Coordinates of all heavy atoms in Angstrom, one line a residue:
M1 N -7.8 -3.2 20.0 CA -7.9 -3.3 18.6 C -8.5 -2.1 18.0 O -8.0 -1.5 17.0 CB -8.8 -4.5 18.2 CG -8.0 -5.8 18.2 SD -6.4 -5.8 17.3 CE -7.0 -6.4 15.7
I2 N -9.6 -1.6 18.6 CA -10.3 -0.4 18.0 C -9.4 0.8 18.1 O -9.3 1.6 17.1 CB -11.6 -0.2 18.7 CG1 -12.6 -1.4 18.4 CG2 -12.3 1.1 18.3 CD1 -13.8 -1.5 19.3
A3 N -8.8 1.0 19.2 CA -7.9 2.1 19.4 C -6.8 2.1 18.4 O -6.4 3.1 17.8 CB -7.4 2.2 20.8
C4 N -6.2 0.9 18.2 CA -5.1 0.8 17.3 C -5.5 1.0 15.8 O -4.7 1.6 15.1 CB -4.5 -0.6 17.4 SG -2.7 -0.6 17.4
A5 N -6.7 0.6 15.5 CA -7.1 0.8 14.1 C -7.2 2.3 13.7 O -7.0 2.6 12.6 CB -8.5 0.2 13.9
A6 N -7.3 3.1 14.8 CA -7.5 4.5 14.5 C -6.1 5.2 14.2 O -6.0 6.3 13.7 CB -8.1 5.2 15.7
C7 N -5.0 4.4 14.6 CA -3.7 5.0 14.4 C -2.8 4.1 13.6 O -1.6 4.0 13.8 CB -3.1 5.5 15.7 SG -2.9 4.1 16.9
V8 N -3.4 3.4 12.6 CA -2.6 2.5 11.8 C -1.5 3.3 11.1 O -1.7 4.3 10.5 CB -3.5 1.9 10.7 CG1 -2.7 1.2 9.6 CG2 -4.4 0.8 11.4
G9 N -0.3 2.7 11.2 CA 0.8 3.4 10.5 C 1.5 4.4 11.3 O 2.6 4.9 10.9
L10 N 1.0 4.7 12.5 CA 1.7 5.7 13.3 C 2.6 5.1 14.3 O 2.2 4.1 15.0 CB 0.6 6.6 14.1 CG -0.3 7.4 13.2 CD1 -1.2 8.2 14.1 CD2 0.5 8.3 12.3
A11 N 3.8 5.6 14.3 CA 4.8 5.0 15.2 C 4.3 5.1 16.7 O 4.7 4.3 17.5 CB 6.1 5.6 15.1
A12 N 3.6 6.1 17.0 CA 3.1 6.4 18.3 C 2.3 5.2 18.9 O 2.2 5.0 20.1 CB 2.2 7.6 18.4
C13 N 1.7 4.4 18.0 CA 0.9 3.3 18.4 C 1.7 2.3 19.2 O 1.1 1.7 20.2 CB 0.4 2.6 17.1 SG -1.3 1.9 17.3
S14 N 2.9 2.1 18.9 CA 3.7 1.0 19.6 C 4.0 1.5 21.0 O 4.4 0.7 21.8 CB 4.9 0.7 18.8 OG 5.7 1.9 18.6
E15 N 4.0 2.8 21.3 CA 4.3 3.3 22.6 C 3.2 2.9 23.6 O 3.5 2.7 24.8 CB 4.5 4.8 22.6 CG 5.8 5.2 21.8 CD 5.9 6.7 21.7 OE1 5.2 7.4 22.4 OE2 6.7 7.1 20.9
T16 N 2.0 2.9 23.1 CA 0.9 2.6 24.1 C 0.5 1.1 24.0 O -0.3 0.7 24.9 CB -0.3 3.5 23.7 OG1 -0.6 3.3 22.3 CG2 0.0 4.9 24.0
S17 N 0.9 0.4 23.0 CA 0.5 -1.0 22.9 C 1.4 -1.9 23.6 O 2.6 -1.7 23.6 CB 0.4 -1.4 21.4 OG 0.2 -2.7 21.2
S18 N 0.9 -2.9 24.2 CA 1.7 -3.9 25.0 C 2.0 -5.1 24.1 O 2.7 -6.0 24.6 CB 1.1 -4.2 26.3 OG -0.2 -4.8 26.1
T19 N 1.3 -5.2 23.0 CA 1.5 -6.4 22.2 C 2.9 -6.3 21.4 O 3.3 -5.2 21.1 CB 0.4 -6.5 21.1 OG1 0.4 -5.4 20.3 CG2 -0.9 -6.7 21.8
P20 N 3.5 -7.5 21.2 CA 4.8 -7.5 20.6 C 4.8 -7.2 19.1 O 5.8 -7.0 18.4 CB 5.4 -8.9 20.9 CG 4.2 -9.7 21.1 CD 3.1 -8.8 21.7
S21 N 3.6 -7.4 18.5 CA 3.4 -7.2 17.0 C 2.9 -5.8 16.7 O 1.7 -5.5 16.9 CB 2.5 -8.3 16.5 OG 2.1 -8.0 15.2
P22 N 3.8 -5.0 16.1 CA 3.4 -3.6 15.7 C 2.7 -3.5 14.4 O 2.2 -2.5 14.0 CB 4.7 -2.9 15.7 CG 5.7 -3.9 15.3 CD 5.2 -5.2 15.8
E23 N 2.6 -4.6 13.6 CA 2.0 -4.5 12.3 C 0.5 -4.9 12.3 O 0.2 -6.1 12.5 CB 2.8 -5.4 11.3 CG 4.2 -5.0 11.1 CD 4.3 -3.7 10.3 OE1 3.2 -3.2 9.8 OE2 5.4 -3.1 10.2
P24 N -0.3 -4.0 12.0 CA -1.8 -4.3 12.1 C -2.2 -5.1 10.8 O -3.2 -5.8 10.9 CB -2.5 -2.9 12.1 CG -1.4 -2.0 11.6 CD -0.1 -2.6 11.8
A25 N -1.5 -5.0 9.8 CA -1.9 -5.7 8.5 C -1.0 -6.9 8.2 O -0.6 -7.1 7.1 CB -2.0 -4.8 7.4
G26 N -0.5 -7.6 9.3 CA 0.5 -8.6 9.1 C -0.1 -9.9 8.4 O -1.3 -10.1 8.3
F27 N 0.8 -10.7 8.0 CA 0.5 -11.9 7.3 C -0.4 -12.9 8.1 O -1.4 -13.3 7.7 CB 1.7 -12.7 6.8 CG 1.5 -13.9 6.0 CD1 1.2 -13.8 4.7 CD2 1.5 -15.2 6.6 CE1 1.0 -14.9 3.9 CE2 1.2 -16.3 5.9 CZ 1.0 -16.2 4.5
A28 N 0.1 -13.1 9.3 CA -0.6 -14.1 10.2 C -2.1 -13.7 10.4 O -3.0 -14.6 10.4 CB 0.1 -14.3 11.5
D29 N -2.3 -12.4 10.7 CA -3.7 -12.0 11.0 C -4.6 -11.9 9.8 O -5.8 -12.3 9.8 CB -3.6 -10.6 11.6 CG -3.1 -10.5 12.9 OD1 -2.9 -11.6 13.5 OD2 -2.7 -9.4 13.4
R30 N -4.1 -11.4 8.7 CA -5.0 -11.0 7.6 C -4.9 -12.0 6.4 O -5.9 -12.2 5.7 CB -4.7 -9.6 7.1 CG -4.6 -8.6 8.2 CD -6.0 -8.4 8.9 NE -6.9 -7.7 7.9 CZ -6.9 -6.4 7.7 NH1 -6.1 -5.7 8.4 NH2 -7.8 -5.9 6.9
I31 N -3.7 -12.4 6.1 CA -3.5 -13.2 4.8 C -3.5 -14.7 5.0 O -4.2 -15.4 4.2 CB -2.1 -12.8 4.1 CG1 -2.0 -11.3 4.1 CG2 -2.0 -13.4 2.7 CD1 -3.0 -10.6 3.2
A32 N -2.9 -15.2 6.0 CA -2.8 -16.6 6.2 C -4.2 -17.3 6.3 O -4.4 -18.3 5.6 CB -2.0 -17.0 7.5
P33 N -5.2 -16.7 7.0 CA -6.5 -17.4 7.0 C -7.1 -17.5 5.6 O -7.8 -18.5 5.2 CB -7.4 -16.5 7.9 CG -6.4 -15.8 8.7 CD -5.2 -15.6 7.8
L34 N -6.9 -16.4 4.8 CA -7.5 -16.4 3.4 C -6.8 -17.5 2.6 O -7.4 -18.2 1.8 CB -7.3 -15.0 2.8 CG -8.1 -13.9 3.3 CD1 -7.6 -12.6 2.9 CD2 -9.6 -14.1 2.8
A35 N -5.4 -17.5 2.7 CA -4.7 -18.5 1.9 C -5.0 -19.9 2.3 O -5.1 -20.8 1.4 CB -3.2 -18.2 2.1
A36 N -5.2 -20.1 3.6 CA -5.6 -21.5 4.0 C -6.9 -21.9 3.3 O -7.1 -23.0 2.9 CB -5.7 -21.5 5.5
E37 N -7.8 -20.9 3.3 CA -9.1 -21.2 2.7 C -9.1 -21.3 1.2 O -9.7 -22.2 0.6 CB -10.1 -20.1 3.2 CG -11.5 -20.3 2.7 CD -12.3 -19.0 3.1 OE1 -12.2 -18.6 4.2 OE2 -13.1 -18.5 2.2
R38 N -8.4 -20.4 0.5 CA -8.5 -20.3 -0.9 C -7.4 -21.0 -1.7 O -7.5 -21.2 -2.9 CB -8.6 -18.8 -1.3 CG -9.7 -18.1 -0.7 CD -9.9 -16.7 -1.2 NE -10.9 -16.1 -0.4 CZ -11.6 -15.0 -0.8 NH1 -11.3 -14.5 -2.0 NH2 -12.5 -14.5 -0.1
C39 N -6.3 -21.3 -1.1 CA -5.1 -21.7 -1.8 C -4.7 -23.2 -1.4 O -4.3 -24.0 -2.2 CB -3.9 -20.8 -1.5 SG -4.3 -19.1 -1.7
D40 N -4.9 -23.5 -0.1 CA -4.3 -24.7 0.4 C -5.1 -25.9 0.1 O -4.6 -27.1 0.4 CB -3.9 -24.6 1.9 CG -2.6 -23.9 2.1 OD1 -2.0 -23.4 1.1 OD2 -2.2 -23.8 3.3
G41 N -6.2 -25.8 -0.5 CA -6.9 -26.9 -1.0 C -6.0 -27.7 -2.0 O -6.0 -28.9 -2.1
C42 N -5.2 -26.9 -2.7 CA -4.3 -27.5 -3.7 C -2.9 -27.4 -3.1 O -2.1 -28.3 -3.4 CB -4.4 -26.7 -5.0 SG -6.0 -26.8 -5.8
H43 N -2.5 -26.3 -2.4 CA -1.1 -26.1 -2.1 C -0.6 -26.7 -0.8 O 0.6 -26.7 -0.6 CB -0.8 -24.6 -2.2 CG -0.7 -24.1 -3.6 ND1 0.4 -24.2 -4.3 CD2 -1.6 -23.4 -4.3 CE1 0.2 -23.6 -5.5 NE2 -1.0 -23.2 -5.5
A44 N -1.5 -27.1 0.1 CA -1.0 -27.6 1.4 C 0.0 -28.7 1.2 O 1.0 -28.7 2.0 CB -2.2 -28.0 2.2
T45 N -0.2 -29.6 0.3 CA 0.7 -30.7 0.1 C 1.6 -30.6 -1.1 O 2.3 -31.5 -1.5 CB -0.1 -32.0 0.0 OG1 -1.0 -31.9 -1.1 CG2 -0.9 -32.3 1.2
A46 N 1.6 -29.4 -1.8 CA 2.5 -29.2 -2.9 C 3.9 -29.0 -2.5 O 4.2 -28.6 -1.4 CB 2.0 -27.9 -3.7
P47 N 4.8 -29.3 -3.4 CA 6.3 -29.3 -3.1 C 6.7 -27.9 -2.7 O 7.6 -27.7 -1.8 CB 7.0 -29.6 -4.4 CG 6.0 -30.4 -5.2 CD 4.6 -29.9 -4.8
G48 N 6.1 -26.8 -3.3 CA 6.4 -25.5 -2.9 C 6.1 -25.1 -1.5 O 6.6 -24.1 -1.0
G49 N 5.1 -25.8 -0.9 CA 4.7 -25.5 0.5 C 3.4 -24.8 0.6 O 2.9 -24.2 -0.4
S50 N 2.8 -24.8 1.8 CA 1.5 -24.1 2.0 C 1.6 -22.6 1.8 O 2.5 -21.9 2.2 CB 1.2 -24.4 3.5 OG 0.1 -23.5 3.9
M51 N 0.6 -22.1 1.1 CA 0.5 -20.7 0.8 C 0.1 -19.9 2.0 O 0.1 -18.7 2.0 CB -0.6 -20.4 -0.3 CG -0.1 -20.9 -1.7 SD 1.4 -20.0 -2.3 CE 2.0 -21.2 -3.5
A52 N -0.3 -20.6 3.1 CA -0.6 -20.0 4.4 C 0.6 -19.9 5.3 O 0.5 -19.4 6.4 CB -1.8 -20.7 5.1
A53 N 1.8 -20.4 4.8 CA 3.0 -20.3 5.6 C 3.7 -19.0 5.2 O 4.0 -18.8 4.0 CB 3.9 -21.5 5.3
Y54 N 4.1 -18.2 6.2 CA 4.8 -16.9 5.8 C 6.0 -17.2 5.0 O 6.3 -16.4 4.0 CB 5.1 -16.2 7.1 CG 5.8 -14.8 6.8 CD1 5.0 -13.8 6.3 CD2 7.2 -14.6 7.0 CE1 5.6 -12.6 6.1 CE2 7.7 -13.4 6.8 CZ 7.0 -12.4 6.3 OH 7.6 -11.2 6.0
R55 N 6.8 -18.2 5.3 CA 8.0 -18.4 4.6 C 7.8 -18.7 3.1 O 8.5 -18.2 2.2 CB 8.8 -19.6 5.2 CG 10.3 -19.5 4.9 CD 11.0 -20.8 5.3 NE 10.5 -21.3 6.6 CZ 10.9 -22.5 7.1 NH1 11.8 -23.3 6.4 NH2 10.5 -23.0 8.3
T56 N 6.8 -19.4 2.8 CA 6.4 -19.7 1.4 C 6.0 -18.4 0.7 O 6.4 -18.1 -0.4 CB 5.3 -20.7 1.3 OG1 5.7 -21.9 2.0 CG2 5.0 -21.1 -0.1
A57 N 5.0 -17.7 1.4 CA 4.5 -16.5 0.8 C 5.6 -15.5 0.5 O 5.7 -14.9 -0.6 CB 3.4 -15.9 1.7
R58 N 6.4 -15.3 1.5 CA 7.5 -14.3 1.4 C 8.5 -14.6 0.3 O 9.0 -13.7 -0.3 CB 8.2 -14.3 2.8 CG 9.3 -13.2 2.9 CD 8.7 -11.8 2.8 NE 9.8 -10.9 2.8 CZ 10.6 -10.7 1.7 NH1 10.4 -11.4 0.6 NH2 11.5 -9.8 1.8
S59 N 8.7 -15.9 0.0 CA 9.6 -16.3 -1.1 C 9.0 -16.0 -2.4 O 9.7 -16.0 -3.5 CB 9.9 -17.7 -1.0 OG 8.9 -18.5 -1.4
L60 N 7.7 -15.7 -2.5 CA 7.0 -15.4 -3.7 C 6.6 -13.9 -3.8 O 5.8 -13.5 -4.7 CB 5.7 -16.2 -3.8 CG 5.9 -17.8 -3.9 CD1 4.7 -18.5 -3.5 CD2 6.4 -18.2 -5.3
V61 N 7.1 -13.1 -2.9 CA 6.8 -11.7 -2.9 C 8.0 -10.8 -3.0 O 9.0 -11.1 -2.4 CB 6.1 -11.4 -1.5 CG1 6.1 -9.9 -1.2 CG2 4.6 -11.9 -1.5
T62 N 7.8 -9.7 -3.8 CA 8.8 -8.6 -3.8 C 8.2 -7.5 -2.9 O 7.2 -6.8 -3.4 CB 9.1 -8.1 -5.2 OG1 9.6 -9.2 -5.9 CG2 10.2 -7.0 -5.1
P63 N 8.6 -7.2 -1.7 CA 7.9 -6.3 -0.8 C 7.8 -4.9 -1.5 O 8.8 -4.4 -2.2 CB 8.9 -6.2 0.4 CG 9.5 -7.5 0.4 CD 9.7 -7.9 -1.0
G64 N 6.6 -4.3 -1.5 CA 6.4 -3.0 -2.1 C 6.0 -3.1 -3.5 O 5.6 -2.1 -4.1
K65 N 6.1 -4.3 -4.1 CA 5.8 -4.4 -5.6 C 4.9 -5.6 -5.9 O 5.4 -6.6 -6.4 CB 7.2 -4.6 -6.3 CG 8.1 -3.4 -6.2 CD 9.3 -3.5 -7.0 CE 10.2 -2.2 -6.9 NZ 11.5 -2.4 -7.5
P66 N 3.6 -5.4 -5.6 CA 2.7 -6.5 -5.9 C 2.7 -7.0 -7.3 O 2.5 -8.2 -7.5 CB 1.3 -5.9 -5.5 CG 1.5 -4.4 -5.4 CD 3.0 -4.2 -5.1
D67 N 2.9 -6.1 -8.3 CA 2.9 -6.5 -9.7 C 4.1 -7.3 -10.1 O 4.1 -7.9 -11.2 CB 2.7 -5.3 -10.6 CG 1.4 -4.6 -10.4 OD1 0.4 -5.3 -10.1 OD2 1.3 -3.4 -10.4
E68 N 5.1 -7.4 -9.2 CA 6.2 -8.2 -9.4 C 6.3 -9.4 -8.5 O 7.3 -10.1 -8.3 CB 7.5 -7.4 -9.3 CG 7.7 -6.3 -10.3 CD 8.9 -5.4 -10.1 OE1 9.8 -5.9 -9.4 OE2 8.8 -4.3 -10.6
S69 N 5.1 -9.6 -7.8 CA 5.1 -10.7 -6.8 C 4.1 -11.8 -7.3 O 2.9 -11.6 -7.5 CB 4.5 -10.2 -5.5 OG 5.3 -9.1 -5.0
L70 N 4.7 -13.0 -7.5 CA 4.0 -14.1 -8.0 C 2.8 -14.5 -7.1 O 1.8 -15.0 -7.5 CB 4.9 -15.3 -8.3 CG 4.4 -16.4 -9.2 CD1 4.1 -15.8 -10.6 CD2 5.5 -17.5 -9.4
Y71 N 3.0 -14.2 -5.8 CA 2.0 -14.5 -4.8 C 0.7 -13.7 -5.1 O -0.4 -14.2 -4.8 CB 2.5 -14.2 -3.4 CG 1.7 -14.7 -2.3 CD1 1.8 -16.1 -2.0 CD2 0.9 -13.9 -1.5 CE1 1.0 -16.6 -0.9 CE2 0.2 -14.4 -0.4 CZ 0.2 -15.8 -0.1 OH -0.5 -16.3 0.9
Y72 N 0.9 -12.5 -5.7 CA -0.3 -11.7 -6.0 C -0.7 -11.9 -7.4 O -1.9 -12.0 -7.7 CB 0.1 -10.2 -5.7 CG -1.0 -9.3 -6.2 CD1 -2.2 -9.1 -5.5 CD2 -0.8 -8.5 -7.4 CE1 -3.2 -8.2 -6.0 CE2 -1.8 -7.7 -7.8 CZ -3.0 -7.5 -7.1 OH -3.9 -6.7 -7.6
T73 N 0.2 -11.9 -8.4 CA -0.2 -11.9 -9.8 C -0.6 -13.4 -10.1 O -1.5 -13.5 -11.0 CB 1.0 -11.5 -10.7 OG1 2.1 -12.4 -10.5 CG2 1.4 -10.1 -10.4
L74 N 0.0 -14.3 -9.5 CA -0.2 -15.8 -9.8 C 0.3 -16.1 -11.2 O 0.4 -15.2 -12.1 CB -1.7 -16.1 -9.6 CG -2.3 -15.8 -8.3 CD1 -3.8 -16.2 -8.3 CD2 -1.6 -16.5 -7.1
P75 N 0.7 -17.4 -11.4 CA 1.3 -17.7 -12.7 C 0.2 -17.7 -13.8 O -1.0 -17.8 -13.5 CB 1.7 -19.2 -12.4 CG 1.7 -19.4 -11.0 CD 0.7 -18.5 -10.4
A76 N 0.7 -17.6 -15.0 CA -0.2 -17.7 -16.2 C -0.9 -19.0 -16.1 O -0.4 -20.0 -15.8 CB 0.5 -17.5 -17.5
R77 N -2.2 -19.0 -16.6 CA -3.0 -20.3 -16.6 C -3.2 -20.9 -15.2 O -3.4 -22.1 -15.1 CB -2.4 -21.3 -17.6 CG -2.4 -20.8 -19.0 CD -1.9 -21.9 -20.0 NE -0.5 -22.3 -19.6 CZ 0.6 -21.6 -19.9 NH1 0.5 -20.5 -20.6 NH2 1.8 -22.0 -19.5
H78 N -3.0 -20.1 -14.2 CA -3.2 -20.7 -12.8 C -4.7 -21.0 -12.6 O -5.5 -20.2 -13.0 CB -2.7 -19.7 -11.8 CG -2.7 -20.2 -10.4 ND1 -3.7 -19.9 -9.5 CD2 -1.8 -21.0 -9.7 CE1 -3.5 -20.5 -8.4 NE2 -2.3 -21.2 -8.4
P79 N -5.0 -22.1 -11.9 CA -6.4 -22.5 -11.8 C -7.2 -21.8 -10.8 O -8.4 -22.1 -10.6 CB -6.3 -24.0 -11.5 CG -5.0 -24.1 -10.8 CD -4.1 -23.1 -11.4
A80 N -6.7 -20.9 -10.0 CA -7.4 -20.2 -9.0 C -7.0 -18.7 -8.9 O -6.0 -18.3 -9.5 CB -7.2 -20.9 -7.6
A81 N -7.8 -17.9 -8.2 CA -7.5 -16.5 -8.1 C -7.8 -16.0 -6.6 O -8.5 -16.7 -5.9 CB -8.3 -15.7 -9.1
W82 N -7.3 -14.8 -6.3 CA -7.6 -14.2 -5.0 C -9.1 -13.7 -4.9 O -9.6 -13.5 -3.8 CB -6.6 -13.1 -4.7 CG -5.3 -13.6 -4.2 CD1 -4.1 -13.5 -4.9 CD2 -5.0 -14.2 -3.0 NE1 -3.1 -14.1 -4.1 CE2 -3.6 -14.5 -2.9 CE3 -5.8 -14.6 -1.9 CZ2 -3.0 -15.1 -1.8 CZ3 -5.2 -15.2 -0.8 CH2 -3.8 -15.5 -0.8
G83 N -9.6 -13.3 -6.1 CA -11.0 -12.8 -6.1 C -11.1 -11.5 -5.2 O -10.3 -10.7 -5.4
D84 N -12.1 -11.5 -4.4 CA -12.4 -10.2 -3.6 C -11.3 -10.0 -2.6 O -11.3 -8.9 -1.9 CB -13.8 -10.3 -3.0 CG -14.0 -11.4 -2.0 OD1 -13.0 -12.2 -1.8 OD2 -15.1 -11.5 -1.5
A85 N -10.4 -10.9 -2.4 CA -9.3 -10.7 -1.4 C -8.1 -10.1 -2.1 O -7.1 -9.8 -1.4 CB -8.9 -12.0 -0.7
A86 N -8.1 -9.8 -3.4 CA -6.9 -9.3 -4.1 C -6.5 -8.0 -3.5 O -5.3 -7.8 -3.4 CB -7.3 -9.2 -5.6
G87 N -7.4 -7.1 -3.2 CA -7.0 -5.8 -2.7 C -6.3 -5.9 -1.4 O -5.3 -5.1 -1.1
L88 N -6.7 -6.8 -0.5 CA -6.0 -7.0 0.8 C -4.6 -7.5 0.6 O -3.7 -7.1 1.2 CB -6.9 -8.0 1.6 CG -6.6 -8.1 3.1 CD1 -6.8 -6.8 3.8 CD2 -7.5 -9.2 3.7
V89 N -4.4 -8.5 -0.3 CA -3.1 -9.1 -0.6 C -2.2 -8.0 -1.2 O -1.0 -7.8 -0.8 CB -3.2 -10.3 -1.5 CG1 -1.8 -10.8 -1.9 CG2 -4.1 -11.4 -0.9
R90 N -2.8 -7.2 -2.1 CA -2.0 -6.1 -2.7 C -1.5 -5.1 -1.6 O -0.4 -4.7 -1.6 CB -2.9 -5.4 -3.8 CG -2.1 -4.5 -4.6 CD -2.9 -3.8 -5.7 NE -2.1 -2.9 -6.4 CZ -1.3 -3.1 -7.4 NH1 -1.4 -4.3 -8.0 NH2 -0.5 -2.2 -7.9
A91 N -2.4 -4.7 -0.8 CA -2.1 -3.8 0.3 C -1.0 -4.3 1.2 O -0.1 -3.6 1.7 CB -3.4 -3.4 1.1
W92 N -1.1 -5.6 1.5 CA -0.1 -6.2 2.4 C 1.3 -6.2 1.7 O 2.3 -5.9 2.4 CB -0.5 -7.7 2.7 CG 0.5 -8.5 3.3 CD1 1.0 -8.4 4.6 CD2 1.2 -9.6 2.8 NE1 2.0 -9.3 4.8 CE2 2.1 -10.1 3.7 CE3 1.2 -10.2 1.5 CZ2 3.0 -11.2 3.5 CZ3 2.1 -11.3 1.3 CH2 2.9 -11.8 2.2
I93 N 1.4 -6.5 0.5 CA 2.7 -6.4 -0.2 C 3.2 -5.0 -0.3 O 4.3 -4.7 -0.1 CB 2.5 -7.0 -1.6 CG1 2.2 -8.5 -1.5 CG2 3.8 -6.8 -2.4 CD1 1.9 -9.2 -2.8
E94 N 2.3 -4.1 -0.6 CA 2.7 -2.6 -0.7 C 3.2 -2.1 0.7 O 4.0 -1.3 0.7 CB 1.5 -1.8 -1.2 CG 1.3 -1.9 -2.7 CD 0.0 -1.2 -3.2 OE1 -0.9 -0.9 -2.3 OE2 -0.1 -1.0 -4.4
A95 N 2.7 -2.7 1.8 CA 3.1 -2.4 3.1 C 4.4 -3.0 3.5 O 4.9 -2.9 4.6 CB 2.0 -2.7 4.1
G96 N 5.0 -3.8 2.5 CA 6.3 -4.4 2.8 C 6.2 -5.8 3.2 O 7.2 -6.4 3.6
A97 N 5.0 -6.4 3.1 CA 4.8 -7.9 3.4 C 5.2 -8.2 4.8 O 6.0 -9.2 5.0 CB 5.5 -8.7 2.3
P98 N 4.7 -7.5 5.8 CA 5.1 -7.8 7.2 C 4.6 -9.2 7.6 O 3.5 -9.6 7.2 CB 4.4 -6.7 8.0 CG 3.3 -6.3 7.1 CD 3.7 -6.4 5.7
E99 N 5.3 -9.8 8.5 CA 4.9 -11.1 9.0 C 3.8 -10.9 10.0 O 2.9 -11.8 10.2 CB 6.1 -11.8 9.7 CG 5.8 -13.2 10.2 CD 7.0 -14.0 10.6 OE1 8.1 -13.4 10.7 OE2 6.9 -15.2 10.7
Ligands
LIG101 C1 -7.4 -25.6 -7.9 C2 -6.1 -25.8 -7.3 C3 -5.3 -24.6 -6.9 C4 -5.7 -23.6 -6.1 C5 -7.0 -23.5 -5.3 C6 -4.5 -22.7 -6.0 N1 -3.5 -23.1 -6.8 FE1 -1.7 -22.2 -7.0 N2 -1.1 -23.6 -8.3 C7 -1.9 -24.7 -8.7 C8 -1.2 -25.5 -9.6 C9 -1.7 -26.8 -10.3 C10 0.1 -24.8 -9.8 C11 1.2 -25.2 -10.8 C12 1.0 -24.5 -12.1 C13 2.1 -24.6 -13.0 O1 3.2 -24.8 -12.6 O2 1.9 -24.3 -14.2 C14 0.1 -23.7 -9.0 C15 1.1 -22.8 -8.9 C16 1.1 -21.7 -8.1 C17 2.2 -20.8 -7.9 C18 3.6 -20.9 -8.7 C19 4.7 -21.2 -7.7 C20 4.5 -22.5 -7.0 O3 4.8 -22.6 -5.8 O4 4.2 -23.5 -7.7 C21 1.9 -19.8 -7.1 C22 2.7 -18.6 -6.6 C23 0.5 -20.1 -6.6 N3 0.1 -21.3 -7.3 C24 -0.2 -19.4 -5.7 C25 -1.5 -19.7 -5.3 C26 -2.3 -18.8 -4.4 C27 -1.7 -17.6 -3.8 C28 -3.5 -19.4 -4.3 C29 -4.7 -18.9 -3.5 C30 -5.2 -17.6 -3.9 C31 -3.5 -20.6 -5.1 N4 -2.3 -20.7 -5.7 C32 -4.6 -21.5 -5.2 C33 -3.1 -25.0 -8.2 C34 -3.9 -24.2 -7.3

């Protein structure tokens, strides 16, 4: 982990890594735990689906464009917000919303 953090974004990283996941800022690692904690109190049983599920999140995201992604901007009059995690969610979308 430490070695990989030093070369985030470098293709060379995947040559020395034996893990199948080349994305250090992926949804499962970084976003899902936050969504489970901050969103699924309301959304876990909502018709739209859990906000901690990649498929749900991905359907609400335009990769590379956080300001056009409902998952980041949230609907008008929405009762909750990302708060201090907003920067992380924004960075994930800007990175192409990797799983
Ligand atoms: C306090 C309850 C509550 C929490 C917590 C909450 N939401 Fe919501 N959310 C709602 C409600 C209610 C709606 C429906 C609003 C409407 O349709 O006007 C909604 C709608 C949405 C929508 C519109 C699309 C859809 O699937 O309905 C998105 C996207 C969304 N929420 C994302 C999130 C995210 C991301 C989080 C965590 C940061 C979150 N919500 C946390 C209550 C909540």
Side-chain angles (χ1 to χ4, degrees):
M1 280 308 271
I2 292 166
C4 218
C7 56
V8 165
L10 296 184
C13 217
S14 59
E15 290 174 15
T16 52
S17 172
S18 59
T19 60
S21 165
E23 293 292 351
F27 183 81
D29 289 348
R30 311 292 293 277
I31 311 296
L34 287 165
E37 181 187 314
R38 302 186 186 203
C39 314
D40 277 5
C42 298
H43 283 280
T45 57
S50 163
M51 291 295 161
Y54 181 73
R55 204 189 319 173
T56 304
R58 185 61 186 74
S59 73
L60 295 162
V61 160
T62 302
K65 298 183 176 175
D67 294 326
E68 296 173 23
S69 300
L70 202 54
Y71 193 75
Y72 172 74
T73 62
L74 304 176
R77 296 181 303 279
H78 185 262
W82 280 111
D84 61 2
L88 194 59
V89 176
R90 189 177 177 90
W92 169 68
I93 295 172
E94 283 173 343
E99 185 168 10

